[in-house]
Amino acid sequence: VKEEEKTDLPLVLGFYGLGFKNGHRLKDDNYASYGGGLFLEPAFLKLSPQFLFGIQSEYIVSSGLLSYSFFQNFFYGQFNHVLFGLNFYYKLGVGSSYITLTENGFSVNTLKLAGTFETGWQTSITDKFILRIGIRGNGIYERPEVMDMIGVQVSFGYKL
């Protein structure tokens, strides 16, 4: 995604993998979470070469003393910015997290508000493929405390 690149491409479709270190609420039972997902960035949500909107859907698991799974969906805004010849991006998203907690064969499900922030570097591998490597934070709003995670996400996108 070079700064001078045309914005008339109809769609960017991609997938990603991620790994999180669990924060305060989860780390006592489970140290880490892993997963992956899909993202979609349609041209009609691209306001300029620097600013776009997109959606992503992901599945994350965390196993340990307790087993958690998270099915999350986010609507995000992304700002692209070139600094010292490198293309950086910043994403801020809001959405939902469907959480399943399993212990000794017994499961509990709940739906919660979630937010995400990601910052990183991106480049075009070819004129059709995008690579993004970022640091990502994830927060799920569960009373009385937020379930937070921070880690790395690697994304590959294809311009259709």
Side-chain angles (χ1 to χ4, degrees):
V1 185
K2 295 183 178 147
E3 188 176 34
E4 66 274 5
E5 199 165 42
K6 292 183 180 179
T7 61
D8 60 356
L9 295 169
L11 178 69
V12 176
L13 177 63
F15 67 94
Y16 57 91
L18 54 85
F20 285 132
K21 178 186 178 297
N22 291 333
H24 173 70
R25 175 96 187 272
L26 291 171
K27 73 177 179 182
D28 295 335
D29 299 320
N30 303 30
Y31 180 77
S33 298
Y34 303 95
L38 300 172
F39 68 91
L40 183 68
E41 296 168 354
F44 70 88
L45 292 178
K46 192 174 223 181
L47 303 180
S48 73
Q50 289 81 30
F51 194 75
L52 62 88
F53 290 100
I55 56 173
Q56 66 187 47
S57 185
E58 63 194 18
Y59 184 73
I60 302 169
V61 294
S62 185
S63 297
L65 296 175
L66 302 173
S67 178
Y68 288 92
S69 64
F70 306 90
F71 178 64
Q72 302 186 132
N73 295 289
F74 294 104
F75 178 74
Y76 62 85
Q78 178 175 312
F79 178 72
N80 301 311
H81 150 232
V82 176
L83 182 65
F84 304 116
L86 298 172
N87 195 340
F88 294 96
Y89 68 93
Y90 312 92
K91 276 187 188 179
L92 184 61
V94 64
S96 64
S97 182
Y98 184 76
I99 306 166
T100 301
L101 166 64
T102 305
E103 182 180 21
N104 299 326
F106 179 73
S107 292
V108 176
N109 300 310
T110 187
L111 182 65
K112 298 292 179 184
L113 181 65
T116 185
F117 175 77
E118 182 181 352
T119 184
W121 167 81
Q122 63 186 353
T123 188
S124 291
I125 299 171
T126 68
D127 61 342
K128 290 284 191 182
F129 290 96
I130 300 169
L131 169 66
R132 293 182 182 142
I133 301 171
I135 305 272
R136 179 168 159 202
N138 202 50
I140 301 166
Y141 303 100
E142 166 82 19
R143 287 188 178 159
E145 300 170 357
V146 172
M147 299 170 86
D148 59 325
M149 308 167 195
I150 189 164
V152 176
Q153 179 171 309
V154 177
S155 307
F156 296 93
Y158 182 72
K159 301 172 196 174
L160 299 173

